Amino acid sequence: MNFELNENQAMIAQMIKDFGAKEITPFRKDWDDKQHFPIEVFKKLGELGLMGVLVPTEYGGSGFGYFEYVTAILELSKLDPSVGLSMAAHNSLCTGHIMMFGNEEQKRKYLPKLATCEFLGAWGLTEPNTGSDAGNMRTVAVEDGDYYVINGAKNFITHGVSGDVAVVIARTGEVGDSHGMTAFVIERGTPGFKGGRKEDKLGMRASETAEMIFEDCRVHKSQILGEIGDGFIQSMKILDGGRISIAALSLGIAEGALEESIQYSKERQQFNQPISRFQGISFKLADMATQVEAAKLLTFKAADLKNRGQKVTLAGAKAKLFASEVCVSVSNEAVQIFGGYGFTKDYPVEKYYRDSKLCTIGEGTSEIQKLVISREILK
């Protein structure tokens, strides 16, 4: 096993640090305070190739693998987890679904625009009353000649208002039938498709989360991804890879909180010495560093399996579960190390703390990850 960054990873990490110093860090507090979604930043990330990291070069993407992808999310999330979250959702969910299950015509139509962020992507599975219980979704697609007519609503959707194109899972069969759902790719502007209420969130406030509403939305059969009835099965495969994204996002938050804590502990003086010299603080840092390293190993193991085309259901769930819980723990300890200042918006650890909690919820809660893991190991 090689634990060193490859040349592409090192290049991506430095590029993001340079970009972030000018385009992200100076504005992240204002974005967070105002819940502003900085679409212009993602257009620039598209120019850098970071909105199509995994898209093959023949479709206008960067053509990289999961090591580079994890590194990109990690480095962006250190700067602003909201940016890391939106970038990951665009890449692994919407773009990834079309890349994995679209036909050649669909790939050539959408992937080049998604890879450059000419189109911003959204992905709709979750509904108001069916979070983890996606099999009981109520958004329905009814066949009508060469079209399907979709009615229903999705919520907690990243880019639900601003997305230019969305992959949407709707029920075409019976409730609870895992083969009764179908994936459609739907462009913004399609009659009957609109964004709904934007969520007022605890954290990740610069990443847009909103409803998508469908009212007699007519979608041509040419917009079906894969086969009719395969939407739920496809979604589970997409989430296997998506969980690696959330593990990377978690890792970025945890690394950012740890780095800030180390630096602060060296500078903060109490009783005529840096607080890093007190065992109560230094032992916290030791625990945090060890947890972060373990999360990194799990995340890159899952990325390695994904690169080699192997099944990542178990590895992705383990990485997502552990890394997300670690980022909450490490962010919590970071606030404690900063003391009163950690409870203010003057330092970034307060934001890491608020942002971290989403990682244990999005793309499958920690409880769902334990369910996935237990099922896999008990087969």
Side-chain angles (χ1 to χ4, degrees):
M1 298 178 69
N2 182 1
F3 296 99
E4 298 297 321
L5 294 181
N6 64 40
E7 185 177 345
N8 290 329
Q9 287 175 276
M11 177 269 293
I12 288 170
Q14 189 58 54
M15 178 176 68
I16 290 173
K17 287 175 184 175
D18 294 341
F19 175 83
K22 296 179 181 178
E23 304 287 349
I24 297 176
T25 305
F27 311 105
R28 63 186 176 191
K29 184 180 182 301
D30 188 54
W31 296 340
D32 183 73
D33 289 343
K34 297 177 180 178
Q35 298 200 66
H36 171 68
F37 176 57
I39 182 65
E40 67 283 354
V41 169
F42 296 97
K43 298 296 183 181
K44 292 176 182 178
L45 290 175
E47 294 173 4
L48 295 176
L50 293 173
M51 299 301 275
V53 179
L54 300 168
V55 176
T57 54
E58 64 182 290
Y59 299 112
S62 298
F64 290 133
Y66 262 73
F67 287 163
E68 291 83 1
Y69 180 47
V70 166
T71 298
I73 298 173
L74 190 161
E75 294 297 336
L76 282 172
S77 301
K78 282 185 186 179
L79 300 169
D80 187 340
S82 294
V83 175
L85 172 62
S86 276
M87 177 269 200
H90 172 94
N91 274 278
S92 70
L93 298 180
C94 179
T95 305
H97 202 134
I98 295 171
M99 190 166 65
M100 187 175 292
F101 296 106
N103 58 38
E104 189 62 24
E105 182 180 350
Q106 291 165 338
K107 289 179 182 179
R108 295 205 175 275
K109 181 178 181 180
Y110 292 111
L111 291 182
K113 292 183 178 180
L114 287 164
T116 59
C117 204
E118 179 183 343
F119 276 5
L120 182 69
W123 192 75
L125 177 66
T126 300
E127 297 185 359
N129 295 313
T130 57
S132 299
D133 186 16
N136 277 313
M137 68 172 54
R138 293 298 187 264
T139 298
V140 176
V142 178
E143 188 175 8
D144 181 18
D146 290 334
Y147 290 81
Y148 273 85
V149 180
I150 302 177
N151 282 282
K154 301 290 182 178
N155 75 333
F156 299 134
I157 306 304
T158 304
H159 313 144
V161 171
S162 298
D164 298 290
V165 62
V167 172
V168 179
I169 317 303
R171 182 162 58 82
T172 49
E174 297 300 317
V175 173
D177 180 5
S178 62
H179 293 280
M181 289 159 274
T182 300
F184 299 85
V185 56
I186 309 175
E187 292 185 35
R188 185 71 59 188
T190 301
F193 172 36
K194 64 181 180 179
R197 182 176 67 94
K198 183 177 176 180
E199 301 293 343
D200 184 4
K201 298 178 296 182
L202 167 72
M204 301 289 191
R205 290 163 62 85
S207 177
E208 179 186 275
T209 306
E211 294 176 311
M212 294 194 301
I213 299 171
F214 303 89
E215 297 175 340
D216 294 327
C217 179
R218 292 176 62 82
V219 180
H220 195 269
K221 289 180 177 178
S222 63
Q223 299 300 100
I224 292 172
L225 291 169
E227 300 297 323
I228 295 171
D230 283 353
F232 181 78
I233 307 302
Q234 292 174 8
S235 297
M236 295 303 102
K237 293 178 180 177
I238 292 299
L239 287 173
D240 281 347
R243 285 165 182 156
I244 301 174
S245 301
I246 302 301
L249 170 63
S250 303
L251 191 57
I253 295 172
E255 284 199 7
L258 175 60
E259 290 174 5
E260 292 287 343
S261 298
I262 291 172
Q263 185 65 32
Y264 182 80
S265 72
K266 292 177 179 178
E267 297 171 353
R268 172 67 167 167
Q269 295 274 332
Q270 290 288 273
F271 304 102
N272 300 315
Q273 60 182 319
I275 62 172
S276 59
R277 294 186 182 178
F278 296 109
Q279 194 175 80
I281 300 299
S282 63
F283 277 21
K284 282 184 185 296
L285 294 170
D287 286 337
M288 292 160 70
T290 303
Q291 290 173 343
V292 169
E293 189 69 16
K296 179 179 286 188
L297 292 173
L298 281 170
T299 303
F300 275 98
K301 177 184 177 181
D304 180 53
L305 291 174
K306 187 71 173 175
N307 277 342
R308 290 192 275 129
Q310 297 189 19
K311 186 179 179 181
V312 295
T313 303
L314 179 59
K318 285 180 177 178
K320 199 271 188 188
L321 170 64
F322 189 78
S324 65
E325 295 291 345
V326 161
C327 87
V328 172
S329 172
V330 168
S331 299
N332 179 56
E333 290 287 48
V335 171
Q336 192 70 19
I337 289 169
F338 273 71
Y341 291 110
F343 204 66
T344 72
K345 292 181 179 290
D346 295 333
Y347 292 89
V349 292
E350 175 269 346
K351 185 175 184 302
Y352 287 135
Y353 182 57
R354 287 186 292 106
D355 290 344
S356 68
K357 191 56 192 170
L358 182 276
C359 297
T360 69
I361 298 170
E363 296 197 34
T365 63
S366 290
E367 290 75 19
I368 289 295
Q369 304 315 309
K370 291 178 182 179
L371 180 65
V372 171
I373 294 165
S374 62
R375 284 178 175 173
E376 287 294 313
I377 64 175
L378 292 170
K379 282 182 177 179

